Amino acid sequence: MNQSQIDQLRAADVAQRGHIIDGKSVPASDGATMDVVSPIDGSVLTQVAKGTATDMQAAIASARAAFEDGRWAGQPPAARKKVLLKWADLIEANALELAVLGVRDNGTEINMAIKAEPGSAAGTIRYYAEALDKLYGEIATTSADVLGLIHKEPVGVVGAIIPWNFPMMIGAWKLGPALAMGNSVVLKPAETASLSLMRMVELALEAGLPEGVLNAVTGEGAVVGEAMGLSMDVDVLVFTGSGGTGRRLMEYSAQSNMKRVYLELGGKSPNIIFADAPNLDEAAKVAAGGIFRNSGQVCIAGSRLLVEEAIHDDFVAAVVKAAEAMPVGNPLDMTTAIGAVNSEVQLAANLGFVETAKSEGGEVITGGERILQDTGGSYMAPTVITGVTQEATLTQKEVFGPVLGVTSFADEAEAVRLANATIYGLSGAVWTSNLSRAHRMVKSVRTGVMHVNTYGGADGTVPLGGVGQSGNGHDKSLHAIEKYVNLKTAWIKL
Ligand code: ADP
């Protein structure tokens, strides 16, 4: 990737998009569309179909028909593998086009998007394609006169509701294992980031995925997402997004067919710095990257910095220096370290959190404001706020923006207490040279992922999932497969 290749794509016209149902692009049943606004400059990029409940029901019916006639689930594993591998190849072959389209839609800096979006999506789909014929059922340890077989069957129709921060990466986390196991899927991209994901769905059809096996419906969460949640014909619902929506999905499930619901929700992840960290300068740079990349719109973002008292002031100064050295600007310029906030709504919410933090005694050391307003886009300066108490809103509520709250601690016990003082448990990190302390902290911090002397970067071989109100179930790794299969016992009298 180089700047001139990006420049050739950054202003290309973007065609209007319909849903993808039964392998065809179709408009909304009532013809309605919604504007796709680029957070880079506030311009309208194109329109997508604004789906209705009827559209969602049609997509689910198509997925159900595809599942029941076995056009995908009934194919030999080797055939499914071939299609998925081809899909991964097509994503890679179109990586730059997909990445630029996605960035124009959601504002992530291109350096991150190229790796995290098509790069990671292709890798994820390939991982599950390669795994699908290496997974075996089980034979139970029974007495000699019976045989107990445990089969793993596809669940049927999977509904996947995707957020706007990394649509292709998170989309692939759901689509890869769901399709590998033979399910049909209906996808609901986020309102403000659907373009790259919809293009990725088209590439699946090009790769030979049979029509109806993967359908995608754009539109508002409260309309098409709700229709998916309430459907009697969706067997499993997988979701990444906010806690409020996650709670609704569980309610929809209870009100309808009690479908299984897997939620990857927010976090308020503690990044814990001990004075004996191996390299404090490195820790400060990684801490800044761990909250400010993609404008903090990362579910695992290290949004709470817990610093040992003895080094608090120096460490905060180093983080501030690192933050101020990260250029904020047009996400399609390769020199940009922090791109645009996804939407005006999100930007306003971020600024609201800053005001609340100030009113609760926090001190804004850098940032705290909207910048580059003359571009017409949505940009926010990376923000560091010190003096954040355990009770403060900034400790207890996820911002999902470039806002880092800093709290000091006296000793290991206090660090653990602070780390565990929220309803969340998604990610976290400890920086220390003391091996025993590192292991103690990994054990003591209640979270799904704990980093040691690094932040982020865990690849597809390890699971990602939360505890507490960060959710349930796992994306990535072979553990993700569990969400997309039913266990069936065959008990055979010999
Ligand atoms: P955010 O507030 O950060 O946009 P959401 O949880 O609202 O996070 O969005 C994540 C995904 O959930 C999006 O695809 C959105 O359209 C969808 N969504 C929002 N509200 C609902 C709802 N009531 N039912 C189903 N899906 C929804």
Side-chain angles (χ1 to χ4, degrees), residues 306-387:
L306 306 182
V307 190
E308 194 166 354
E309 267 164 19
I311 55 162
H312 176 274
D313 294 355
D314 288 348
F315 193 77
V316 169
V319 171
V320 167
K321 191 170 157 213
E324 290 174 350
M326 295 175 84
V328 185
N330 191 314
L332 289 170
D333 294 340
M334 285 179 69
T335 49
T336 291
I338 303 174
V341 173
N342 177 253
S343 67
E344 283 294 301
V345 172
Q346 187 62 40
L347 179 55
N350 296 347
L351 296 171
F353 274 103
V354 173
E355 288 314 306
T356 304
K358 284 200 248 175
S359 73
E360 292 176 351
E363 189 185 348
V364 177
I365 307 293
T366 187
E369 62 205 0
R370 174 181 200 143
I371 53 173
L372 304 173
Q373 197 159 2
D374 55 338
T375 60
S378 313
Y379 298 91
M380 181 165 171
T383 301
V384 178
I385 303 180
T386 56

Side-chain angles (χ1 to χ4, degrees), residues 179-249:
L179 292 171
M181 298 320 288
N183 297 285
S184 295
V185 182
V186 180
L187 196 61
K188 209 304 268 170
E191 290 85 333
T192 55
S194 58
L195 298 178
S196 56
L197 193 52
M198 294 301 278
R199 178 80 189 111
M200 190 168 116
V201 172
E202 281 176 356
L203 292 177
L205 293 166
E206 256 179 61
L209 194 70
E211 292 167 359
V213 174
L214 173 56
N215 298 316
V217 176
T218 50
E220 291 177 349
V223 178
V224 286
E226 182 181 87
M228 178 187 276
L230 288 172
S231 168
M232 296 299 287
D233 224 10
V234 169
D235 299 295
V236 165
L237 195 55
V238 288
F239 171 73
T240 298
S242 65
T245 301
R247 194 177 294 275
R248 262 188 220 112
L249 298 181

Side-chain angles (χ1 to χ4, degrees), residues 26-360:
V26 293
S29 58
D30 63 2
T33 61
M34 55 189 196
D35 285 344
V36 178
V37 177
S38 175
I40 298 177
D41 55 9
S43 63
V44 174
L45 280 177
T46 186
Q47 286 80 31
V48 295
K50 186 175 178 187
T52 61
T54 308
D55 299 336
M56 180 53 77
Q57 281 143 12
I60 293 167
S62 160
R64 173 59 60 192
F67 182 71
E68 296 300 338
D69 72 15
R71 73 186 80 161
W72 178 243
Q75 283 193 29
R80 293 207 307 271
K81 175 177 14 190
K82 203 168 165 189
V83 170
L84 294 177
L85 287 176
K86 176 136 188 240
W87 186 21
D89 289 346
L90 285 176
I91 291 169
E92 240 165 39
N94 292 278
L96 192 62
E97 180 210 312
L98 285 161
V100 171
L101 186 62
V103 169
R104 293 175 74 192
D105 200 359
N106 84 339
T108 305
E109 52 277 2
I110 187 74
N111 285 312
M112 180 174 235
I114 190 84
K115 287 192 216 116
E117 286 284 273
S120 142
T124 298
I125 288 160
R126 202 168 278 139
Y127 178 93
Y128 292 105
E130 286 166 350
L132 69 83
D133 55 0
K134 297 169 192 69
L135 299 164
Y136 295 83
E138 293 165 26
I139 301 176
T141 314
T142 57
S143 56
D145 58 341
V146 288
L147 178 61
L149 302 180
I150 304 167
H151 296 281
K152 288 179 183 160
E153 297 188 327
V155 294
V157 176
V158 172
I161 301 181
I162 309 299
W164 42 259
N165 55 337
F166 294 104
M168 295 183 66
M169 175 174 82
I170 296 173
W173 287 350
K174 323 284 190 202
L175 292 172
L179 292 171
M181 298 320 288
N183 297 285
S184 295
V185 182
V186 180
L187 196 61
K188 209 304 268 170
E191 290 85 333
T192 55
S194 58
L195 298 178
S196 56
L197 193 52
M198 294 301 278
R199 178 80 189 111
M200 190 168 116
V201 172
E202 281 176 356
L203 292 177
L205 293 166
E206 256 179 61
L209 194 70
E211 292 167 359
V213 174
L214 173 56
N215 298 316
V217 176
T218 50
E220 291 177 349
V223 178
V224 286
E226 182 181 87
M228 178 187 276
L230 288 172
S231 168
M232 296 299 287
D233 224 10
V234 169
D235 299 295
V236 165
L237 195 55
V238 288
F239 171 73
T240 298
S242 65
T245 301
R247 194 177 294 275
R248 262 188 220 112
L249 298 181
M250 294 187 114
E251 287 167 2
Y252 297 153
S253 166
Q255 287 164 26
S256 55
N257 61 345
M258 296 192 281
K259 55 182 73 62
R260 267 152 57 189
V261 179
Y262 295 103
L263 307 172
E264 203 262 83
L265 308 172
K268 198 73 216 187
S269 300
N271 190 6
I272 306 165
I273 320 292
F274 284 93
D276 67 359
N279 180 340
L280 284 167
D281 274 343
E282 167 75 4
K285 281 191 197 122
V286 174
I291 175 66
F292 298 131
R293 300 296 307 275
N294 200 18
S295 299
Q297 301 165 145
V298 179
C299 54
I300 65 159
S303 53
R304 285 191 297 147
L305 188 64
L306 306 182
V307 190
E308 194 166 354
E309 267 164 19
I311 55 162
H312 176 274
D313 294 355
D314 288 348
F315 193 77
V316 169
V319 171
V320 167
K321 191 170 157 213
E324 290 174 350
M326 295 175 84
V328 185
N330 191 314
L332 289 170
D333 294 340
M334 285 179 69
T335 49
T336 291
I338 303 174
V341 173
N342 177 253
S343 67
E344 283 294 301
V345 172
Q346 187 62 40
L347 179 55
N350 296 347
L351 296 171
F353 274 103
V354 173
E355 288 314 306
T356 304
K358 284 200 248 175
S359 73
E360 292 176 351

